[in-house]
Amino acid sequence: MSAGGDRRWGRFGAAGLLLRAADPTDPDIPLVLLQHRAVWTASGDTWALPGGARDSSEDASQAALRETQEEAEIRPADVVVRAVRVTSRMPGTVWHRPGLDMRHVSEMMRRLRPDQKHSDDPAVRARTIPPLVQESTDAVEWTYTTVVADAPRALETVPNNESLELRWVPETRVADLPLMPAFAQAWANGLRSRPVELVVDVANVLGSRPDGWWRDRAGATARLLEELSTTMPRTVELPDGFGWVARAHAVIEGAARRAEHSGPFVVHRASGSGDDAIVDLATDLATDLAPGIDIDLDTGPAAVPAGDGAGEGEAGGSRRVVVVTADRGLRARLPPGVVAVGPRALLD
């Protein structure tokens, strides 16, 4: 409880799981797992994320995954955590512990004497029986943490008694439901994702891991693309929110051009500078020109009509172009509006 009388559940804070999965009918718009809360729960008969109070021994991710397993029977091993974000704070909180427990009984028995008589005087009763509601002596800050994760598909769910229903909802339809007020605010303030066209600077991502890639650049490139392919489609954390990646491009150069890939990445084999190829590709994507598959950048990317998937996206407004690189020089050359993130955004 705060000084203003606001109440939250969970002495150590609370956490919920924002779980996305690809929609096989429309890969650009992910599905989100929502819980229709039972009427008897806090903010009952509204929709929110599965979650609940944290235990003293667990972090936010562990709490969100545990609660989701309890409320939906989704195993932690079946999801991949992408990000952890505090989405609500309440400073100046004191914790309350209502009800009768064994510590309360023990303290009550210690204070009672065989010859003690009952009294209706509150002052006497206060000296005799400890209060049923106990509170902390020091103010703390209560937080709700949203744990963002991906599932390989819309997993089967089994609701417990805290749920009226569990449902995989297209992300564009989430706000249409009667949401729990706190979740509605967090959803509008940055939890919702936008469709992303991803461009990976493969040489830079390879160089971020000293695993001997230089001994066989083509082989290391093929292995990296295979590794990244297993995570697609996916959520990616951006500087100002989240993106949903259903389409991705990989630019390879030099000896790595021999790498073979048959997965979801559109492969671009740069005949010269990889940085130049990435700038050209990002510029074309940002102006609604989509390249063809596995082309050689000697002749430049093949154009498709504007709006053919590379422009407006239903999941959150215009599609964003995101380049994965830690190269500061390359970042400085990217056209306005193109977002840059480091390799760690993909290498979880």
Side-chain angles (χ1 to χ4, degrees):
M1 176 185 293
S2 71
D6 295 326
R7 294 178 180 272
R8 298 291 187 274
W9 182 257
R11 174 181 172 185
F12 303 100
L17 188 71
L18 173 51
L19 187 61
R20 290 186 175 93
D23 183 348
T25 66
D26 189 349
D28 282 338
I29 301 176
L31 301 172
V32 177
L33 179 62
L34 294 183
Q35 176 195 48
H36 191 185
R37 299 173 61 81
V39 176
W40 61 267
T41 63
S43 299
D45 200 25
T46 62
W47 292 80
L49 304 176
R54 291 171 55 176
D55 290 336
S56 61
S57 61
E58 59 188 4
D59 60 24
S61 293
Q62 292 169 331
L65 293 171
R66 172 183 55 77
E67 288 282 344
T68 301
Q69 185 169 26
E70 294 173 0
E71 297 175 0
E73 292 195 10
I74 289 180
R75 300 181 305 169
D78 291 335
V79 307
V80 179
V81 173
R82 302 298 188 193
V84 175
R85 179 169 295 185
V86 175
T87 49
S88 180
R89 297 179 183 272
M90 191 168 72
T93 309
V94 294
W95 62 262
H96 288 238
R97 187 176 62 224
L100 190 69
D101 61 19
M102 291 309 298
R103 285 173 293 186
H104 183 275
V105 172
S106 176
E107 178 64 14
M108 181 174 63
M109 296 303 295
R110 184 185 71 80
R111 296 186 188 186
L112 288 175
R113 302 189 306 273
D115 61 343
Q116 190 170 41
K117 296 180 180 180
H118 174 75
S119 173
D120 291 327
D121 184 345
V124 175
R125 291 173 59 84
R127 293 195 301 269
T128 304
I129 302 175
L132 284 177
V133 176
Q134 302 179 51
E135 64 182 44
S136 59
T137 56
D138 299 320
V140 296
E141 182 181 54
W142 183 93
T143 59
Y144 184 94
T145 303
T146 300
V147 178
V148 180
D150 292 333
R153 62 189 179 282
L155 302 170
E156 292 186 6
T157 60
V158 179
N160 68 359
N161 67 334
E162 296 183 33
S163 306
L164 295 173
E165 180 187 358
L166 294 166
R167 185 190 302 177
W168 288 96
V169 179
E171 182 150 349
T172 53
R173 310 300 298 178
V174 169
D176 296 340
L177 295 170
L179 302 180
M180 175 189 285
F183 174 55
Q185 182 177 8
W187 182 253
N189 290 340
L191 288 183
R192 182 174 178 174
S193 73
R194 293 175 59 181
V196 159
E197 196 96 13
L198 196 72
V199 178
V200 180
D201 180 357
V202 174
N204 189 266
V205 175
L206 273 179
S208 69
R209 298 194 299 188
D211 57 1
W213 55 266
W214 51 87
R215 291 191 290 268
D216 178 11
R217 292 175 184 258
T221 295
R223 289 190 296 273
L224 175 65
L225 293 179
E226 177 64 24
E227 174 188 339
L228 297 180
S229 295
T230 62
T231 70
M232 301 291 180
R234 59 164 293 167
T235 303
V236 61
E237 188 172 15
L238 304 177
D240 59 351
F242 295 96
W244 176 252
V245 182
R247 296 188 292 184
H249 307 260
V251 176
I252 57 180
E253 61 183 332
R257 294 182 62 193
R258 300 192 304 272
E260 296 296 329
H261 176 68
S262 58
F265 279 88
V266 178
V267 178
H268 307 271
R269 308 176 191 277
S271 59
S273 165
D275 286 4
D276 290 345
I278 291 169
V279 171
D280 291 343
L281 176 59
T283 300
D284 288 334
L285 290 173
T287 55
D288 293 338
L289 295 178
I293 296 177
D294 205 21
I295 62 173
D296 192 310
L297 292 182
D298 278 329
T299 57
V304 299
D308 188 15
E312 291 297 310
E314 294 181 4
S318 60
R319 184 178 302 277
R320 309 185 78 177
V321 179
V322 176
V323 175
V324 182
T325 184
D327 187 326
R328 293 183 179 180
L330 173 57
R331 288 187 174 207
R333 296 176 56 195
L334 295 175
V338 172
V339 180
V341 296
R344 290 184 61 184
L346 288 187
L347 301 178
D348 294 323

